[in-house]
Amino acid sequence: MPLKLEPGARLVAATHNPGKAREIAELLEGRFDLVAAGELGLPEPEETEATFVGNALLKARAAAAASGLIALADDSGLSVAALGGAPGIYSARWAGPGKDFGVAMRKVEERLEEVGADDFSAWFTSALAVAWPQGPAVVVEGRVDGALTFPPRGDKGFGYDPIFLPEGLDQTFGEMEPAAKDGMSHRARAFVKLKAALL
């Protein structure tokens, strides 16, 4: 029998990032009773996998096991062509223990200067995993391409949003209204696939 999510079901969003939790809640359009792992005091598992998909599954399974609830996890990050795809799965770690993305964005800019980059193309990837406490899981992936711009612009998003210009647009994710970003982001594209699979 295919796995399905029933409207109104209680889900745990396997994140301690308030911005990501808020974005997930908006993308779920109020269909579910969503609580963040941070609100439940769940531990953050160490992300030991080598891919976004692997880490999303790891986080979803850990949250489902710890809470007894169906868990939804996102593992996402920024990949920069001139940096060989870095920071990639290490995107959050570039922000340091204080999760200061101002530091992370400066690090990206410094690395691009170090390699003398003239190619600023980049992309965001989002892997979404849903795991049931009993073990089954579903995972999907979305991507949005664009280019980096410096200095950072806008304060509406989170993470690397202020330096990312989606392809064909002149506003960074940090300058976009949340509804506009939610209509075309990497996470939104992954959610379309997730809804097709589970709703």
Side-chain angles (χ1 to χ4, degrees):
M1 191 174 99
L3 297 169
K4 290 290 177 184
L5 287 175
E6 295 300 323
R10 192 155 207 242
L11 305 181
V12 57
T15 182
H16 288 66
N17 179 328
K20 187 180 285 189
R22 188 170 55 250
E23 200 166 282
I24 287 170
E26 286 166 0
L27 286 163
L28 287 173
E29 300 165 343
R31 295 179 195 209
F32 305 100
D33 176 13
L34 190 73
V35 60
E39 293 175 63
L40 295 178
L42 302 184
E44 286 189 88
E46 188 179 351
E47 296 177 20
T48 54
E49 297 295 324
T51 63
F52 292 114
V53 164
N55 281 323
L57 277 169
L58 181 155
K59 290 189 282 189
R61 286 183 169 138
S67 67
L69 297 170
I70 299 170
L72 170 62
D74 162 274
D75 196 60
S76 53
L78 176 73
S79 298
V80 183
L83 302 182
I89 60 167
Y90 302 106
S91 292
R93 277 168 261 190
W94 278 32
K99 299 187 179 177
D100 184 340
F101 280 91
V103 168
M105 290 185 282
R106 282 194 296 278
K107 193 169 181 178
V108 171
E109 186 173 18
E110 286 164 5
R111 293 283 177 90
L112 287 168
E113 287 170 357
E114 284 168 15
V115 301
D118 54 13
D119 175 9
F120 281 62
S121 58
W123 60 95
F124 272 120
T125 303
S126 169
L128 292 173
V130 175
W132 277 254
Q134 299 82 5
V138 173
V139 65
V140 295
E141 200 169 33
R143 170 174 163 158
V144 63
D145 289 88
L148 301 183
T149 184
F150 299 96
R153 291 166 24 197
D155 57 6
K156 291 188 170 73
F158 62 94
Y160 296 91
D161 285 356
I163 60 170
F164 184 78
L165 279 168
E167 206 165 58
L169 298 179
D170 57 8
Q171 277 190 318
T172 69
F173 271 173
E175 293 173 302
M176 282 186 180
E177 293 300 328
K181 179 188 171 188
D182 287 350
M184 51 84 69
S185 74
H186 49 305
R187 198 165 289 115
R189 291 175 182 187
F191 261 97
V192 169
K193 294 180 183 178
L194 194 69
K195 286 174 184 175
L198 295 176
L199 302 183

